[in-house]
């Protein structure tokens, strides 16, 4: 791993995020730690509700509060201490040092303004430039994300664009101030299958060209395999495995990771195989079992696994796994 030589653009240590809910206080993140190096693409996978989006939102200090709060740990973005950063300072950090693209671009774009208006505004929040110069930069950025005739497109409203084009606009906006870290939370899920691959290619290309750190959040391990060099696997608010992508695919250590990999559809003999999904339900965060959170669904669980929680420990292949009986 090149970790020792390069500098982390993001470093998260023991992050704890809590939400007040009707069922009581829940820990959506419970001691999450990982780094992202300059120019590195890191994938985060895990079933719905495991804490992927909460992790992403925490990095930009966007956890809705109340009901949520960062209850412990630290987040360092470059040299900035996110947890203790005042809100007005964080506004400057968002977009310039780190930016985020979401699943549904329509929710992030304002329907009553042209995309040009919105891009110009973002650029001018971060740079002291004239409107004309900001517009020139916005057109350039639209061209960078492969939008044809950007001079015309810039005066259109979000609803005049296709879903794929809107997501490209979101990417252009997110990258307009050359952030060091891009967080993409299910960036292609809402798009047509044919457009998904194109948008992912765009993200990958820009990430390499701009040497940005990338956090790619997805349910789809197939997408991670093509885009990321390292993977974090989350379950119930914890990291249960972390490894270089190749290693994770070749030799998944946690039974949960193995289950996720086994549920990737494969095409064999020209037929799409339906593969097993992991049986059972994710436990309720308000009512967690004693011991390993995966034990009830785990084919390998022993009594010991239901008694105490396995810590996240180094593997001999340079990754980490939280399991008493890893593969
Ligand atoms: N605003 C909120 N209020 C209360 N609880 C919340 C809130 N946002 C998140 N949570 C809790 O945090 C947990 C993690 O949510 P998160 O959105 O990070 O899941 P996720 O991994 O992104 O899932 P998905 O794949 O469905 O997007 C949820 O199970 C939920 O209980
Ligand atoms: Mg999510």
């Amino acid at each position: 791993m090149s970790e020792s030589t390069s500098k982390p653009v993001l470093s998260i240590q023991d992050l704890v995020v809590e939400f007040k809910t009707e069922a009581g206080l829940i820990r959506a993140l419970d001691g999450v730690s990982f780094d992202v190096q300059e120019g590195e693409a890191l994938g985060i996978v895990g079933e719905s509700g495991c804490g992927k989006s909460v992790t992403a939102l925490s990095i930009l200090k966007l956890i809705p509060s109340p009901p949520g709060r960062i209850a412990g740990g630290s987040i360092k973005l470059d040299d900035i201490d996110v947890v203790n950063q005042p809100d007005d300072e964080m506004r400057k950090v968002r977009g310039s040092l780190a930016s985020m693209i979401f699943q549904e671009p329509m929710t992030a774009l304002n329907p009553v303004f042209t995309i040009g208006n919105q891009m110009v505004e973002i650029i001018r929040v971060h740079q002291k430039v004239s409107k004309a110069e900001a517009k020139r930069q916005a057109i350039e950025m639209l061209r960078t994300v492969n939008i044809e005739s950007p001079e015309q497109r810039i005066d259109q409203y979000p609803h005049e664009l296709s879903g794929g084009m809107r997501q490209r606009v979101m990417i252009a906006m997110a990258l307009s101030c050359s952030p060091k870290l891009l967080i993409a939370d299910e960036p292609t899920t809402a798009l047509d299958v044919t457009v998904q691959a194109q948008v992912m290619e765009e993200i990958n290309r820009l990430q390499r060209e701009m040497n940005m750190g990338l956090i790619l959040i997805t349910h789809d391990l197939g997408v991670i395999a093509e885009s990321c060099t390292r993977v974090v696997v989350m379950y119930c608010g914890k990291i249960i495995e972390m490894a270089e992508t190749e290693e994770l695919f070749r030799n998944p250590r946690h039974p949960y990771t193995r289950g996720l990999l086994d549920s990737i559809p494969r095409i064999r003999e020209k037929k799409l195989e339906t593969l097993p999904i992991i049986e059972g339900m994710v436990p309720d965060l308000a009512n967690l079992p004693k011991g390993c959170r995966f034990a009830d669904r785990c084919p390998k669980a022993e009594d010991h696994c239901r008694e105490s929680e396995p810590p996240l420990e180094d593997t001999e292949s340079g990754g980490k796994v939280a399991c008493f009986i890893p593969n």
Side-chain angles (χ1 to χ4, degrees):
M1 239 182 253
S2 54
E3 234 166 288
S4 49
T5 50
S6 56
K7 178 173 172 279
V9 59
L10 172 73
S11 180
I12 299 184
Q13 283 296 322
D14 277 323
L15 184 63
V16 176
V17 174
E18 294 178 339
F19 285 95
K20 273 198 186 120
T21 71
E22 280 176 14
L25 194 66
I26 59 153
R27 282 203 161 178
L29 296 183
D30 189 5
V32 165
S33 307
F34 66 89
D35 287 354
V36 178
Q37 309 301 312
E38 242 167 31
E40 181 190 32
L42 176 87
I44 304 184
V45 283
E47 285 165 294
S48 191
C50 68
K52 303 183 296 297
S53 296
V54 169
T55 303
L57 293 171
S58 302
I59 296 166
L60 293 178
K61 218 181 178 187
L62 288 172
I63 295 289
S65 172
R69 76 181 183 107
I70 294 177
S74 69
I75 301 170
K76 278 196 81 181
L77 242 184
D78 224 12
D79 292 321
I80 288 173
D81 171 2
V82 171
V83 179
N84 296 309
Q85 199 72 2
D87 286 345
D88 54 338
E89 290 295 316
M90 261 329 278
R91 260 193 287 279
K92 288 183 219 153
V93 170
R94 286 180 212 125
S96 60
L97 193 50
S99 38
M100 184 156 168
I101 48 180
F102 300 88
Q103 181 170 335
E104 189 26 86
M106 229 20 207
T107 55
L109 290 168
N110 190 329
V112 303
F113 294 109
T114 64
I115 59 171
N117 286 143
Q118 299 181 58
M119 291 186 73
V120 163
E121 193 185 315
I122 291 192
I123 291 168
R124 296 189 77 207
V125 165
H126 296 289
Q127 298 174 42
K128 287 201 165 36
V129 292
S130 67
K131 274 193 182 158
E133 168 59 15
K135 185 168 180 184
R136 195 196 59 76
Q137 287 186 18
I139 291 172
E140 220 31 63
M141 205 58 219
L142 290 177
R143 207 187 309 280
T144 303
V145 297
N146 278 326
I147 287 187
E148 277 177 40
S149 331
E151 296 86 354
Q152 277 94 57
R153 291 288 182 196
I154 198 154
D155 292 322
Q156 292 189 313
Y157 290 87
H159 72 263
E160 296 180 86
L161 308 177
S162 69
M165 224 180 295
R166 279 201 289 266
Q167 196 56 298
R168 283 171 199 267
V169 169
M170 278 306 303
I171 296 167
M173 284 165 92
L175 302 187
S176 56
C177 298
S178 310
K180 289 190 173 178
L181 179 71
L182 175 68
I183 304 167
D185 190 352
E186 305 266 5
T188 63
T189 313
L191 304 176
D192 289 346
V193 179
T194 47
V195 185
Q196 286 186 358
Q198 294 166 7
V199 169
M200 248 350 282
E201 258 170 48
E202 212 62 68
I203 292 174
N204 292 335
R205 177 179 66 83
L206 292 163
Q207 187 245 334
R208 283 192 303 271
E209 284 177 10
M210 297 171 77
N211 195 35
M212 274 181 306
L214 171 71
I215 295 181
L216 176 65
I217 295 178
T218 169
H219 287 95
D220 191 341
L221 270 163
V223 172
I224 297 233
E226 297 197 344
S227 309
C228 300
T229 48
R230 213 149 53 91
V231 191
V232 162
V233 184
M234 293 187 70
Y235 189 75
C236 270
K238 290 203 153 187
I239 294 178
I240 53 105
E241 183 160 8
M242 183 155 43
E244 303 232 324
T245 310
E246 241 172 76
E247 180 66 23
L248 188 100
F249 274 74
R250 194 176 51 221
N251 186 17
R253 308 301 303 277
H254 200 289
Y256 177 65
T257 312
R258 159 131 296 163
L260 286 180
L261 286 168
D262 284 346
S263 54
I264 300 179
R266 284 190 197 107
I267 295 171
R268 192 175 288 171
E269 287 166 6
K270 293 193 183 143
K271 269 198 288 196
L272 191 65
E273 276 187 286
T274 28
L275 282 136
I277 50 160
I278 307 166
E279 277 181 37
M281 299 266 285
V282 180
D284 182 0
L285 285 176
N287 204 354
L288 285 172
K290 200 175 158 197
C292 175
R293 297 166 185 209
F294 187 60
D296 276 347
R297 304 171 76 189
C298 183
K300 297 175 79 178
E302 296 174 358
D303 289 349
H304 179 41
C305 305
R306 298 179 215 281
E307 287 303 315
S308 53
E309 257 198 299
L312 188 65
E313 287 178 322
D314 292 344
T315 64
E316 64 286 356
S317 45
K320 289 180 193 291
V321 66
C323 179
F324 291 125
I325 322 158
N327 291 317

